[in-house]
Amino acid sequence: MLEKCSGLPNDEAYPLCLVLRFTCLLFQQNNDTNLGNLISEASNKLGQKGIKILEMMGHLALQPEFERRGVALVALKKSFHEKYKSTIKDWDNFAQSVSEIFQLCLKLKDIISFCETVNVMLSKPEIQIRSYPKMHAKWLVTWLWNEGVVFHRQRNLEAAESLMSKALQFSKLLFAEFPHEKEFEASYQYLLNEMNAQRTTTSGHKLSGCAQ
């Protein structure tokens, strides 16, 4: 019955129909592709008018009975991009959305990708970067750094470096002087030394293995 929405995207019933289809799909298993297609449909056909619909989809997917974080991430990222692709007017809302989306990222590639998205938005000449709320800015830098520390403890040095370097990048972008910048830079340099030592050891093992 809800397989397709009747009417055109500018019909008042169309957004509601999309949400109903989305909700029905959430009750099914192993259908992330279909949910993703529906999210793309809402984004492509509704544009700016679809921001609220995409946010609704994202928050529906996070409900306890569904807990589809990956689907929520896709919907909220689409909404975020559509909402802030031109300019940033509400900095509190922008920063809250950034924090929410980062916390949904379960994979390193998703974190790095969203770092690039946010960095591009904040680097536009017309953006008043110092308007970013300091509490949220500190959270962002600290969260990225701590995620890097987790990887470091797991001895995944490349992943740790990726996140720690992003933390330093945002600390310089969002603060005139970040409170822990010197400590972060010292720890980051220590990590780079570890990575160089690891490469040297690995290279030595490969060379020693060549002789018979």
Side-chain angles (χ1 to χ4, degrees):
M1 179 179 176
L2 292 171
E3 205 168 292
K4 290 186 178 181
C5 290
S6 60
L8 299 173
N10 58 354
D11 289 345
E12 290 184 8
Y14 181 78
L16 177 59
C17 183
L18 287 175
V19 174
L20 289 173
R21 286 172 61 198
F22 186 82
T23 305
C24 289
L25 286 173
L26 282 174
F27 282 100
Q28 303 172 20
Q29 299 298 318
N30 304 316
N31 63 346
D32 285 7
T33 300
N34 291 334
L35 286 163
N37 290 339
L38 198 55
I39 290 168
S40 295
E41 181 181 339
S43 176
N44 295 335
K45 291 188 177 181
L46 296 176
Q48 287 277 312
K49 295 179 180 178
I51 291 172
K52 293 293 184 184
I53 297 299
L54 291 167
E55 288 178 350
M56 188 182 300
M57 288 176 169
H59 293 134
L60 273 171
L62 289 174
Q63 292 302 303
E65 59 266 39
F66 305 125
E67 293 186 351
R68 308 284 281 273
R69 287 182 59 166
V71 173
L73 177 62
V74 174
L76 292 176
K77 283 176 69 175
K78 289 272 190 185
S79 171
F80 179 85
H81 181 267
E82 193 65 45
K83 194 172 187 177
Y84 299 109
K85 64 182 180 181
S86 300
T87 187
I88 303 170
K89 295 179 180 179
D90 187 338
W91 280 95
D92 283 322
N93 191 275
F94 175 85
Q96 287 171 11
S97 296
V98 167
S99 300
E100 180 180 27
I101 291 172
F102 269 123
Q103 290 179 86
L104 288 174
C105 294
L106 295 175
K107 299 178 181 178
L108 176 64
K109 66 176 184 178
D110 291 330
I111 298 175
I112 299 301
S113 173
F114 193 56
C115 279
E116 296 300 330
T117 297
V118 175
N119 184 58
V120 168
M121 289 181 170
L122 294 178
S123 299
K124 294 177 181 178
E126 68 274 15
I127 295 297
Q128 299 295 321
I129 189 64
R130 300 303 180 205
S131 297
Y132 201 105
K134 288 295 175 280
M135 182 180 69
H136 288 288
K138 186 176 181 182
W139 179 91
L140 173 57
V141 173
T142 304
W143 185 84
L144 286 170
W145 184 265
N146 289 341
E147 290 295 302
V149 169
V150 171
F151 279 112
H152 183 263
R153 289 173 179 167
Q154 296 170 352
R155 304 310 297 162
N156 188 339
L157 301 187
E158 289 189 1
E161 189 280 329
S162 295
L163 292 177
M164 289 180 174
S165 64
K166 293 299 182 187
L168 284 170
Q169 179 184 30
F170 279 112
S171 73
K172 291 177 170 58
L173 188 64
L174 298 174
F175 291 89
E177 185 176 348
F178 184 66
H180 306 292
E181 187 173 344
K182 290 183 179 179
E183 294 95 320
F184 278 16
E185 287 181 343
S187 296
Y188 181 68
Q189 186 57 54
Y190 179 84
L191 171 63
L192 293 180
N193 293 339
E194 278 190 296
M195 294 177 70
N196 288 332
Q198 187 180 70
R199 292 191 190 102
T200 301
T201 302
T202 303
S203 176
H205 286 162
K206 287 181 179 178
L207 288 172
S208 62
C210 292
Q212 300 293 330

